[in-house]
Amino acid sequence: MNSSSSFPRLGLRTRIVALLIVILVAAFILSLTLGSVRIPPDQVLRILTGGEPDKASWMDVIFKFRLPKAVTGMLVGAALSVAGLQMQTLFRNPLADPFILGVSSGASLGVALVVLGTGAGGASAFITGLNVFGDLSLAVAASLGAGLVLGAVLIVSRRVQNTLTLLILGLMFGYLTNAIVSLLIYFSQPERVQAFSLWAAGSFGGVTWNQMRVFFPVIALGLFIGYVMIKPLNALLLGDEYARSLGLNVRRARFWIILSASLLAGVSTAFCGPVWFVGVAVPHVARSLLNTADHRALLPASMLMGASFALVADVIAQSPGSQYVLPLNVVMSLFGVPIILWVILRQKQLRQSFAS
Amino acid sequence: MLSSSSLTIGYHQPITSGLDLQLRPAEMVCLIGPNGAGKSTLLRTLAGMQTPLSGVIKLGEADLHSLPALDLAKQLAVVLTGRVEAGNLSAYALVTLGRHPYTDWRGRLTPHDEEAVRHAMRLTGSDVLASRPIHELSDGERQRVMIARALAQEPSILLLDEPTAFLDLPRRVELLQLLKRLSRETNCAILLSTHDLDLALRIADRLWLLSSHGELHIGLPEELALNGSLARIFHSEGIEFDHASGAFKVHQPVYGPISLHGEKDGVATAWTWRALERIGYEVHNNGARHPVHVDVLDANHWHLTTPKGQSEHITLRSLIETLSP
């Protein structure tokens, strides 16, 4: 036996990357094609490459609505999948999601305070629609809420030796904010509650090109930090003690990993509401399909798969050809759960991947 | 070389103090002692994972606890106790994690890194497991992969906390033989804690014997047996150590003395002795004849004399059944 051939290759194979990119591009084109009006793919391509479509109104549909929504969807899908992967590895827990440290609870509290707590003017401004001011104030409130929790978690993470303590603190904080939100809902008028639950249902449609100037760089920064943290994440696969024995500064690595995940989850929630499911499910699908726990393969794969998954979920939520728009979170769970169950149950490695 | 002077270890409370220890290249040291004596604490302190209450540990000329973590990781590797669950990784991918201190920020393996990993796997015989997922390996195979991972760090010191804990007897012997061979082939100083006194006595170059009162005895295994340190330490734990056989006494005699005569060093004599001890006799074969006496003629013939009479036995079982109440 040739000794060099008996050692497996590591990392993500080019063929798989190519496949994932093809799927993503297809999902991207699909999401621009389908909606309340169908715009043929060739017309979509013509518009994207700067040509004139057959119908001038399609130009607006693409540039004002579908393109920002598709870009947002891709970014959020990628962001939450990477954040979920990071949290699952950091906490050695398959149920960890991007929001486990309470970032989305913080965002919810911020939004709840604005929508449920302010005067009728603010809330009705939100209800009456995609008014830029109303929108932005929500994003700002959510960002402030998420940022506050993020800060608190980071400060605690530098002091706490045990990673599990952080997890419990995050959970407790989540319960606390949920209680406050419930209290606010309890004392609020129905239409404001409606407005709040609209935000909580999640949507990629709210991010304008203007907001994209904040949204995109923050996500890019979070993903970049995530990329730099691939090596520490791999070292953490063996647990904190082995990671330390390999020369890793575990506290510092944890700080940056949490910063990355919280930026990704926080800004996604601030602009799109808490989008559940994708963050917990996609890393499992990636692990299952690639059959590895190596983050050099998992992180880019989760990013690409998450982006595709979010785009497809959003296409279904638009229920093409009809006037109805389903809540994004509903679609994610209804269509996502069976697929993910199939993928995960097909391979019985979940327990081995996480038992610690 | 790893050395310590007037080292005191413990959490808050000192477990043991005044330790002047040395680990030399190409030497395998076994750390033995009852549960709770502080073996893990000592190992963890020497590994730099826990700060000593006082005293210094030197790695070569440098103070171990003030070495930058990455520099330490290039000189000292550990295999911790307990089963490792590293997720869905191949054995090869797991061993490459040992190159962490050497690789760039992206963790890319240079050809030299890959060669170090492969060399470590060949040394431990885990190269044949390279593409197997870690969670499918047996405990023994997994332990070999974990040792390969530690060796991939190219350490001059290797510390292992109870590496034989989950293994069956053949795997334990195999693992200790492997470590002994590694100490010679890699010139690494190896320190491992273990409960396998029998094996440690036979295979270690040196024993560190830690009692539950915090005394540490250091010496050749035979030395510690001869000067009675082993017997003393385990006596205080309530078990008797037999100097002559180098093993623990397991049986408490209940029937009184029996004399045994047979060819010296005979296998049949040795096993007859064990059988008699097991059913509860205090066995002597110093030439004196007791009222109950057994002559071992060969592996198929025993002659038994008792105050009640004499009998011949052609199987050990019939002899033992006659002597049992």
Side-chain angles (χ1 to χ4, degrees):
Chain A
M1 184 170 54
N2 179 349
S3 68
S4 67
S5 69
S6 66
F7 292 101
R9 277 199 49 194
L10 299 174
L12 199 54
R13 273 153 221 209
T14 337
R15 225 183 314 157
I16 293 175
V17 179
L19 180 70
L20 291 176
I21 289 177
V22 167
I23 294 174
L24 179 59
V25 170
F28 184 69
I29 304 280
L30 191 74
S31 77
L32 295 180
T33 307
L34 298 177
S36 50
V37 264
R38 189 175 172 279
I39 304 174
D42 60 302
Q43 297 289 319
V44 168
L45 286 175
R46 194 184 295 170
I47 294 168
L48 287 182
T49 49
E52 280 291 317
D54 295 353
K55 280 194 194 170
S57 66
W58 286 353
M59 199 83 164
D60 267 4
V61 172
I62 294 287
F63 277 115
K64 283 199 179 146
F65 301 105
R66 288 192 193 170
L67 194 56
K69 190 155 66 79
V71 171
T72 306
M74 285 200 304
L75 289 173
V76 170
L80 293 179
S81 302
V82 168
L85 176 67
Q86 290 171 326
M87 291 298 100
Q88 287 172 4
T89 300
L90 187 66
F91 292 113
R92 299 171 73 75
N93 187 329
L95 296 177
D97 68 15
F99 310 127
I100 196 146
L101 290 175
V103 176
S104 80
S105 307
S108 297
L109 186 61
V111 170
L113 285 173
V114 169
V115 176
L116 305 172
T118 55
S124 59
F126 175 70
I127 295 161
T128 45
L130 307 156
N131 165 334
V132 174
F133 173 74
D135 240 22
L136 202 60
S137 74
L138 272 191
V140 168
S143 300
L144 279 178
L148 230 71
V149 176
L150 165 62
V153 168
L154 287 179
I155 289 170
V156 175
S157 80
R158 297 201 119 179
R159 285 159 198 235
V160 173
Q161 175 81 19
N162 187 345
T163 312
L164 204 61
T165 315
L166 265 184
L167 185 68
I168 294 167
L169 286 177
L171 274 177
M172 289 305 120
F173 188 80
Y175 284 125
L176 197 68
T177 43
N178 283 344
I180 299 174
V181 170
S182 302
L183 201 67
L184 285 170
I185 287 175
Y186 187 75
F187 287 111
S188 292
Q189 290 153 7
E191 65 269 24
R192 295 198 197 175
V193 174
Q194 171 86 33
F196 178 74
S197 47
L198 205 63
W199 175 82
S203 161
F204 298 144
V207 182
T208 62
W209 285 120
N210 245 343
Q211 295 176 9
M212 196 67 85
R213 285 187 213 158
V214 181
F215 187 68
F216 180 78
V218 178
I219 299 255
L221 178 66
L223 290 177
F224 176 73
I225 300 173
Y227 184 70
V228 177
M229 287 289 112
I230 286 179
K231 183 181 167 183
L233 274 178
N234 272 347
L236 284 168
L237 278 174
L238 292 170
D240 291 3
E241 295 222 296
Y242 273 115
R244 265 185 213 109
S245 84
L246 287 168
L248 182 73
N249 184 332
V250 171
R251 260 182 237 207
R252 196 193 302 158
R254 199 166 61 186
F255 176 88
W256 286 102
I257 291 167
I258 290 175
L259 180 69
S260 163
S262 301
L263 280 178
L264 293 171
V267 78
S268 298
T269 311
F271 285 89
C272 304
V275 178
W276 303 106
F277 193 70
V278 54
V280 73
V282 169
H284 287 304
V285 177
R287 256 184 224 107
S288 204
L289 294 182
L290 300 181
N291 201 13
T292 184
D294 184 347
H295 294 84
R296 277 169 293 186
L298 279 185
L299 194 125
S302 295
M303 214 168 99
L304 293 171
M305 286 168 144
S308 305
F309 182 82
L311 282 177
V312 173
D314 190 51
V315 167
I316 298 173
Q318 299 305 313
S319 30
S322 81
Q323 292 304 313
Y324 295 104
V325 178
L326 300 172
L328 186 62
N329 275 327
V330 171
V331 173
M332 288 242 175
S333 303
L334 278 185
F335 291 87
V337 169
I339 299 171
I340 272 100
L341 278 184
W342 176 74
V343 171
I344 290 170
L345 292 182
R346 207 172 51 99
Q347 305 200 354
K348 299 182 178 72
Q349 283 145 359
L350 186 66
R351 200 181 59 79
Q352 287 96 336
S353 295
F354 284 98
S356 58
Chain B
M1 188 178 78
L2 189 73
S3 61
S4 78
S5 52
S6 24
L7 182 71
T8 304
I9 59 161
Y11 300 86
H12 310 301
Q13 293 291 318
I15 291 174
T16 171
S17 55
L19 300 179
D20 296 310
L21 305 166
Q22 283 193 333
L23 276 179
R24 298 181 191 84
E27 184 181 64
M28 179 167 113
V29 178
C30 285
L31 173 58
I32 299 275
N35 272 340
K39 297 193 295 287
S40 286
T41 311
L42 179 55
L43 270 174
R44 293 171 55 87
T45 310
L46 292 177
M49 300 166 82
Q50 190 174 336
T51 47
L53 295 180
S54 69
V56 273
I57 301 170
K58 294 221 153 185
L59 189 55
E61 294 303 308
D63 178 8
L64 180 122
H65 282 89
S66 53
L67 262 184
L70 278 174
D71 293 345
L72 180 60
K74 289 176 186 171
Q75 297 184 57
L76 186 148
V78 295
V79 174
L80 301 170
T81 186
R83 260 174 80 113
V84 164
E85 303 290 353
N88 192 358
L89 280 182
S90 65
Y92 182 66
L94 181 82
V95 177
T96 62
L97 293 180
R99 297 304 293 172
H100 183 100
Y102 297 93
T103 55
D104 63 1
W105 65 276
R106 288 170 64 187
R108 278 179 302 183
L109 299 171
T110 62
H112 172 74
D113 290 320
E114 283 184 22
E115 192 37 52
V117 168
R118 288 165 191 199
H119 183 61
M121 294 192 86
R122 282 188 210 109
L123 274 178
T124 53
S126 56
D127 50 341
V128 291
L129 310 170
S131 42
R132 299 258 306 274
I134 191 80
H135 54 77
E136 278 179 14
L137 300 181
S138 71
D139 288 333
E141 292 170 331
R142 197 184 293 232
Q143 205 60 283
R144 273 192 283 154
V145 172
M146 289 310 288
I147 292 169
R149 188 211 60 83
L151 288 179
Q153 280 175 253
E154 296 181 323
S156 53
I157 316 279
L158 176 59
L159 305 179
L160 305 97
D161 197 359
E162 299 198 13
T164 56
F166 292 101
L167 308 181
D168 57 19
L169 188 62
R171 297 291 93 69
R172 286 183 206 183
V173 177
E174 220 173 74
L175 192 86
L176 291 179
Q177 284 171 337
L178 168 69
L179 288 171
K180 174 93 166 232
R181 184 166 58 72
L182 289 175
S183 72
R184 303 299 192 261
E185 287 177 2
T186 63
N187 220 26
C188 204
I190 297 183
L191 171 66
L192 62 128
S193 64
T194 178
H195 284 291
D196 285 302
L197 180 65
D198 278 0
L199 285 173
L201 277 174
R202 279 159 204 254
I203 210 161
D205 293 313
R206 203 170 289 271
L207 281 190
W208 293 5
L209 189 59
L210 188 61
S211 80
S212 46
H213 309 297
E215 318 154 42
L216 185 71
H217 300 264
I218 296 175
L220 303 180
E222 297 79 11
E223 238 175 5
L224 294 178
L226 270 176
N227 70 19
S229 302
L230 273 167
R232 227 179 17 257
I233 282 180
F234 284 96
H235 177 73
S236 63
E237 306 302 323
I239 26 174
E240 297 302 324
F241 182 78
D242 184 22
H243 295 270
S245 66
F248 292 109
K249 284 184 188 159
V250 186
H251 307 292
Q252 304 292 325
V254 288
Y255 292 140
I258 186 169
S259 51
L260 178 69
H261 182 76
E263 51 169 315
K264 275 254 161 63
D265 307 326
V267 177
T269 314
W271 287 101
T272 308
W273 186 325
R274 286 179 69 141
L276 292 170
E277 266 196 342
R278 179 167 57 75
I279 60 169
Y281 283 93
E282 188 187 324
V283 185
H284 299 271
N285 78 340
N286 47 12
R289 219 180 148 89
H290 291 287
V292 186
H293 179 83
V294 174
D295 281 302
V296 183
L297 305 174
D298 58 44
N300 296 309
H301 295 93
W302 286 266
H303 186 85
L304 172 67
T305 315
T306 67
K308 291 175 200 156
Q310 303 198 343
S311 56
E312 297 289 332
H313 299 273
I314 55 163
T315 64
L316 184 55
R317 186 195 295 178
S318 101
L319 171 76
I320 292 304
E321 277 168 2
T322 313
L323 281 165
S324 304

